[in-house]
Amino acid sequence: MFNFSPSLAYKLNDRLSLGVSGNVYYGMFELERASVVDILAFQYSEDSDGIGLGATFGLKYKLSEITNFGFTVRTPTKVTLSGTAKNAAMPIVEQSAPSESDFERDVTWPMWIAGGFAFQPNKKLTVTLDAQWSQWEEVDEFFTDFDDSAWKQITANSGDDKFILNWENKVQYRIGMEYQATPCMAVRGGWYYDPSPVPDETLNILFPSSTNSVLTGGIAYTKGNFLVEFAGEYLFGAERNVNEKPHNMPGTHQMDVAAASIGLGYSF
């Protein structure tokens, strides 16, 4: 999933600033898995992509000379993926069924609400504390709508037209700091706790999820009106021991994730 977010911010007065971002999501999804009919194994595969639109709104209010309050809301976004699925087993199950069918699947990216405080004990150092609530319960299931009527009937009977998820709302907690090393360069670091929204009964390797303790770091460089930001983070995933339940993959699950990003800005 790629998210393109052009942003604008405006300072209303010495205390209050407002901002807005337009979120343009481009999603791609590829899947291959076994499809078994009696004792025969076939390959199911699909390839899809799609676009979704949303927005993020924020404000910053100066409580005192050293303390600022921030608040942000991101709207939920529905990305409609469309593509083609292939399965040579379909004509065996139903003679009239073709070996491939176009389909659509709606994927919801949830709303979040976040707030926090920034403290500036001196001109060079800023320390932040914040929390973010995400409405993961909106990710309950992904339904696949196949164009071909035989595919619709076969997958409805087998339950393969749905990914059952039943995710749960969670709160993420974060602490960070920024040090203005030079007039042009700021150095950043932090930590956050990110609990998994996925219950054991629906955990699977297609949508992996773990409770993470995350270290972050970054550099921001300003030259005139231009701003370039580099950031990286490493997620230390907690191990999960999952017992056999419906819809999941039992066993021991654990993952670590490394991520990097770059941001470009221009101030007027």
Side-chain angles (χ1 to χ4, degrees):
M1 187 81 73
F2 291 90
N3 178 16
F4 304 92
S5 300
S7 303
L8 291 173
Y10 185 74
K11 187 175 182 179
L12 294 177
N13 53 51
D14 289 341
R15 288 187 176 272
L16 180 63
S17 298
L18 301 176
V20 62
S21 294
N23 299 321
V24 181
Y25 292 90
Y26 176 65
M28 298 173 291
F29 191 92
E30 296 182 13
L31 171 65
E32 293 184 353
R33 65 182 181 188
S35 177
V36 180
V37 179
D38 295 328
I39 61 171
L40 300 177
F42 298 86
Q43 181 74 59
Y44 171 87
S45 64
E46 64 175 61
D47 190 353
S48 62
D49 61 0
I51 293 176
L53 302 175
T56 304
F57 304 93
L59 67 83
K60 184 183 77 171
Y61 187 77
K62 188 174 183 178
L63 296 172
S64 70
E65 289 302 315
I66 65 169
T67 305
N68 288 290
F69 169 75
F71 180 81
T72 183
V73 176
R74 187 184 69 178
T75 65
T77 303
K78 181 181 291 185
V79 179
T80 299
L81 300 173
S82 59
T84 302
K86 300 178 181 180
N87 189 351
M90 285 299 184
I92 298 176
V93 177
E94 173 61 56
Q95 259 190 334
S96 63
S99 60
E100 63 180 65
S101 173
D102 292 337
F103 70 91
E104 284 192 353
R105 182 184 300 123
D106 290 336
V107 177
T108 300
W109 214 242
M111 175 181 72
W112 80 37
I113 300 173
F117 297 89
F119 308 95
Q120 194 171 22
N122 57 59
K123 291 183 178 181
K124 291 189 174 183
L125 180 64
T126 302
V127 179
T128 62
L129 297 169
D130 63 81
Q132 175 183 301
W133 174 84
S134 297
Q135 193 182 20
W136 289 112
E137 68 180 6
E138 291 297 309
V139 186
D140 54 353
E141 66 178 31
F142 294 154
F143 175 74
T144 307
D145 185 15
F146 292 100
D147 289 358
D148 182 77
S149 58
W151 277 64
K152 282 180 184 286
Q153 187 62 50
I154 294 170
T155 56
N157 292 339
S158 65
D160 289 335
D161 59 345
K162 293 180 182 178
F163 294 110
I164 299 175
L165 300 173
N166 295 332
W167 288 7
E168 302 167 350
N169 299 338
K170 293 293 180 178
V171 178
Q172 186 185 93
Y173 302 96
R174 296 182 281 203
I175 182 171
M177 61 168 289
E178 177 186 86
Y179 183 74
Q180 193 70 40
T182 71
C184 296
M185 185 176 70
V187 180
R188 297 164 179 164
W191 169 89
Y192 67 89
Y193 173 73
D194 185 19
S196 172
V198 183
D200 281 357
E201 59 266 25
T202 62
L203 181 67
N204 61 69
I205 59 173
L206 184 59
F207 301 103
S209 179
S210 61
T211 293
N212 302 308
S213 181
V214 187
L215 289 178
T216 64
I219 295 175
Y221 185 80
T222 304
K223 184 69 173 180
N225 293 335
F226 290 92
L227 170 67
V228 181
E229 297 176 302
F230 300 94
E233 60 181 8
Y234 194 88
L235 289 72
F236 298 88
E239 188 175 280
R240 297 182 67 168
N241 294 304
V242 179
N243 296 320
E244 188 169 357
K245 293 180 180 180
H247 313 302
N248 78 347
M249 293 185 175
T252 300
H253 296 250
Q254 195 275 334
M255 66 176 183
D256 294 338
V257 179
S261 62
I262 183 172
L264 303 174
Y266 184 85
S267 59
F268 297 91

